[in-house]
Amino acid sequence: MSLGNHSFVTEFVIVGFPGLQSEFYGLASAVLLIVYCCTLIGNIAVLILFATHNILHKPMYIIILNLVVSDVLFSTTTLPKIIARYWFQAGAISFFGCFLQMYLVHYFGSVTSFLLLIMALDRYVAICFPLRYPMIIKNSTIHILNATAWIVAKACPLMLVIRAYPLPYCDSNTILQCFCDHISITKLACTDRAPYSFPAFVTAMVVLLGPLVFIIFSYCSIIVAVLKIVGTKGRLKTLSTCSGQLIIIALYYLPRCFIYLSSNIGIIFSNDLRIVIIMLYSLLPPMINPLIYCFKTKDIKQTLMKRFKRSTAP
C-alpha cells in the first residue's frame, strides 16, 4: 500500500482509444507521431523567426511566443506516452508519473487560456484606444502579464492534484483516455466521486469562462469600434488584424466548453467518440496555430516572404 495515499494501485495503464483494434495500433502511432513532429517543426520555426528578427519583438508576438512555448510543452507532455503505448505497447505509467502528467496537462491548458485573455486585451486596446496603445501596451507590460499568467495558472491544477492524489485507488488501474487527466483518474477511485467532480467542474469553468467572458466583452467592444469606422475598406482592414486571434480562440474554447458542459447536463458520448473529440481539441490547435500565425499576422508573413525570396534568389 502506498504511503502517500490508501491505494493498492502502484501504476496506471493508459488505454487510449478503447475500441481500436490491435491491427491499427501501428497506424495510430504513426498518425500521432506525424502530429507531434508537425507541432514541433511549426512551433520551433516560429521560435526561430522570433529569435532572429527584431521586427517581431512587439507585444502581440511576445504573446504568440508564450503560446508557442505552452503548445510545445503540452504536446510533449501528452503525445510521447500515447505514441509509445501504441508503438511499443508501453502504456504503463507510474502512480506519481500519472499525477504529474495530470498536473501538467491542466497547467498548460490554463496557461493557454490566460494567454488568450492577454491576446484579446492587446487587440481591445489597439482598436478601441489606438492613440493610447503605445503607452498602455509595452513590451515590459506584456512580459509582466505573461509571467503572471504562468504563475497564476499553477493554482487550479495544483488544487486538483492535491484533492485527487490521496483518494483510494484499489480496483481498476486502466485509464480510458490518451493521457492522465482529472476526470479519467478520479473515476477509478474507490469512493464517491461527486464531492470531487463538482469542485473540479467549477475550477474548469473559472479557468475557461473567466477569460472567455472578458474575451467576448473585448471583441464586442471591438465590433462596436469597427462599426464607427467610416468606409468598408477601413472596417475590413481593422477586423483582419483580429481574424487570426479569433480562429485560435474558437479552436481552444468552443470544443472545451462543449465537452465540459455536455458531461454535466447528461449528454452521453461513447468513450471512443469522447476521446477523439478531446484529442482533436487538445492536439490539433498546437499543430495548426503556427500556420495561423504565419498567414494571419502581417509581420510574420512578411518575414517569411523575405526569407523565401532570399533563399530562391539566384
Side-chain angles (χ1 to χ4, degrees):
M1 185 178 293
S2 171
L3 295 177
N5 55 54
H6 303 291
S7 299
F8 295 103
V9 172
T10 58
E11 67 177 16
F12 293 99
V13 177
I14 295 175
V15 174
F17 304 98
L20 187 66
Q21 301 297 319
S22 57
E23 56 264 31
F24 297 109
Y25 284 5
L27 177 61
S29 61
V31 170
L32 292 170
L33 180 61
I34 290 170
V35 170
Y36 185 47
C37 290
C38 289
T39 299
L40 289 181
I41 292 169
N43 285 286
I44 289 173
V46 173
L47 286 173
I48 292 172
L49 283 175
F50 183 88
T52 55
H53 293 81
N54 290 333
I55 193 175
L56 300 180
H57 295 183
K58 299 177 182 178
M60 172 52 65
Y61 303 112
I62 294 172
I63 301 169
I64 288 176
L65 179 68
N66 280 265
L67 281 170
V68 164
V69 173
S70 180
D71 284 345
V72 169
L73 292 175
F74 179 88
S75 297
T76 301
T77 298
T78 55
L79 277 172
K81 187 60 190 177
I82 190 61
I83 292 170
R85 182 265 180 272
Y86 282 122
W87 208 306
F88 307 109
Q89 285 72 56
I93 182 170
S94 69
F95 194 96
F96 175 79
C98 193
F99 279 90
L100 177 61
Q101 187 184 57
M102 177 185 120
Y103 170 77
L104 293 175
V105 162
H106 293 293
Y107 173 56
F108 295 130
S110 301
V111 168
T112 299
S113 182
F114 292 133
L115 290 175
L116 292 178
L117 183 153
I118 298 170
M119 181 181 284
L121 174 65
D122 175 85
R123 289 300 85 199
Y124 169 72
V125 176
I127 294 173
C128 296
F129 306 98
L131 297 179
R132 297 173 62 187
Y133 179 82
M135 294 180 289
I136 299 173
I137 306 295
K138 302 175 183 178
N139 284 3
S140 58
T141 306
I142 292 298
H143 283 309
I144 293 171
L145 290 175
N146 287 335
T148 302
W150 285 91
I151 294 169
V152 171
K154 293 176 181 289
C156 289
L158 188 60
M159 186 199 74
L160 294 178
V161 172
I162 290 173
R163 285 177 60 83
Y165 188 84
L167 296 179
Y169 300 92
C170 49
D171 189 10
S172 174
N173 68 336
T174 56
I175 296 175
L176 300 181
Q177 178 56 283
C178 292
F179 47 78
C180 298
D181 67 342
H182 184 268
I183 293 176
S184 301
I185 294 176
T186 53
K187 277 183 178 179
L188 304 178
C190 306
T191 185
D192 181 16
R193 186 175 173 273
Y196 303 92
S197 60
F198 183 72
F201 171 74
V202 172
T203 299
M205 288 299 98
V206 168
V207 171
L208 284 174
L209 295 185
L212 184 58
V213 167
F214 176 80
I215 289 170
I216 292 172
F217 163 77
S218 66
Y219 277 98
C220 287
S221 301
I222 287 170
I223 291 171
V224 171
V226 167
L227 291 176
K228 293 179 181 178
I229 298 175
V230 178
T232 304
K233 187 176 179 180
R235 293 175 184 174
L236 292 176
K237 184 178 179 181
T238 303
L239 282 175
S240 68
T241 64
C242 302
S243 59
Q245 292 89 331
L246 283 172
I247 295 171
I248 294 168
I249 288 166
L251 285 172
Y252 180 85
Y253 283 107
L254 292 181
R256 278 177 169 80
C257 289
F258 175 70
I259 286 292
Y260 278 118
L261 290 173
S262 62
S263 63
N264 283 271
I265 62 176
I267 299 176
I268 300 173
F269 301 101
S270 67
N271 282 330
D272 285 300
L273 179 59
R274 184 176 178 277
I275 292 169
V276 166
I277 295 172
I278 291 173
M279 291 298 283
L280 284 174
Y281 75 60
S282 297
L283 301 177
L284 280 185
M287 184 177 68
I288 296 172
N289 284 349
L291 295 177
I292 299 173
Y293 304 147
C294 293
F295 292 107
K296 290 294 185 179
T297 51
K298 181 181 175 182
D299 288 333
I300 293 180
K301 184 163 64 174
Q302 289 179 348
T303 301
L304 282 174
M305 292 299 294
K306 288 178 182 178
R307 287 183 70 91
F308 178 74
K309 288 178 182 178
R310 229 180 277 152
S311 62
T312 55

